[in-house]
Amino acid sequence: MKLKRIKYLVIIILTSCQGFALSIHEIAISRISDETINIELDTEGVELYYFSSWQYNIDENMIVVEACFVHGFGSSIAFLNNNFEIPINTFQEQMFHLRVNVFYDSFQEENLQDFRDGFFRTPIQNDVVLSSKSTNKVDEIDIIFTNPSDGRLFLNHEVKSGLIFDESGRFIDFFSENEKVIDISNLSNGCYFLSFLANENRKTLRVILRKN
C-alpha cells in the first residue's frame, strides 16, 4: 500500500549536511476521539534542523509513521516537537504495532536516521510513551542473547507476561508468567517483536531469529 503524503513545508535554503545525526527522543501516543489518535514525536539533532513533511500507512494493525526533516542554520543541539493525527478506531479493543521512521532530506532508505517500534492497545486509557530504543538491556532486567538469535533469551529477572508479534505486527504467541528463559526457537526464521511487562512498564524487544 502506497504511503499517503500529508503536507509539505517549503524551506527556502537547503544545504547538504554530511554526517548529520538526527535521533528520536520520545514518542507519546494519546487518544483524540473514538476515530483518531495523536502521535507526538520529539526529535533531537546535532545541528539546527526543520520539519519538512510526513506520511503514514495503516495495514490492518500495523501503523507506519514517517517524518522527514531538512537542514537549518546554526551549530547547537536542536529539539523539535511534532504531532501527527492518525485515523484508527480507538473504541474497539485491539493491539497495534507502531513503527516511527525519521528521515533527513528525503524519504529514501539511505536517509533513514532513526526508528522506533512499539505496541499499544486500544481503548487508550493513558498516554503510551516510547522513550528509548529496544536494546539488549531493559531497565534493570538483563537479557542475554545474540542478534541474530538461535531463539533462546536468558533473563536475570522473571518477566510477568509477554506477547510475541511478527514483523508485520501480527500476534503469534505468548510466553508464560515468571519465566527467566524465553524460547522462540520453535518459530520460523525472521524478525519478531517481544512485548512484555518489566518493572510495571511494558517493554519491546526486537529479535532476529536465525536458526542454523
Side-chain angles (χ1 to χ4, degrees), residues 176-192:
S176 303
E177 297 182 356
N178 301 324
E179 289 188 353
K180 287 190 176 182
V181 179
I182 301 174
D183 189 351
I184 61 171
S185 60
N186 62 313
L187 302 177
S188 302
N189 287 345
C191 179
Y192 297 92

Side-chain angles (χ1 to χ4, degrees), residues 117-119 134 138 143 145 149 151-153 155 159 161-166 172-175 181-184 187 191-197 202-209:
D117 278 285
F119 296 88
S134 298
V138 182
I143 303 176
F145 71 102
S149 170
R152 289 173 59 82
L153 290 73
L155 297 81
V159 171
S161 62
L163 305 171
I164 303 172
F165 299 84
D166 65 13
I172 297 296
D173 202 355
F174 64 90
F175 39 95
V181 179
I182 301 174
D183 189 351
I184 61 171
L187 302 177
C191 179
Y192 297 92
F193 293 91
L194 278 61
S195 180
F196 56 89
L197 284 174
R202 183 159 294 280
K203 305 298 180 181
T204 303
L205 189 70
R206 181 174 182 266
V207 179
I208 299 174
L209 178 61

Side-chain angles (χ1 to χ4, degrees), residues 87-106:
I88 66 168
N89 185 334
T90 64
F91 184 77
Q92 182 179 355
E93 185 174 346
Q94 55 187 322
M95 178 75 76
F96 286 93
H97 176 190
L98 172 68
R99 163 164 283 209
V100 177
N101 295 327
V102 169
F103 293 83
Y104 175 69
D105 191 44
S106 67

Side-chain angles (χ1 to χ4, degrees), residues 2 29 45-46 57 65 68 89 92 105 131 147 159 162 171 207:
K2 188 176 181 180
I29 306 164
V46 297
N57 180 61
V65 176
C68 184
N89 185 334
Q92 182 179 355
D105 191 44
S131 59
N147 232 349
V159 171
F171 173 73
V207 179

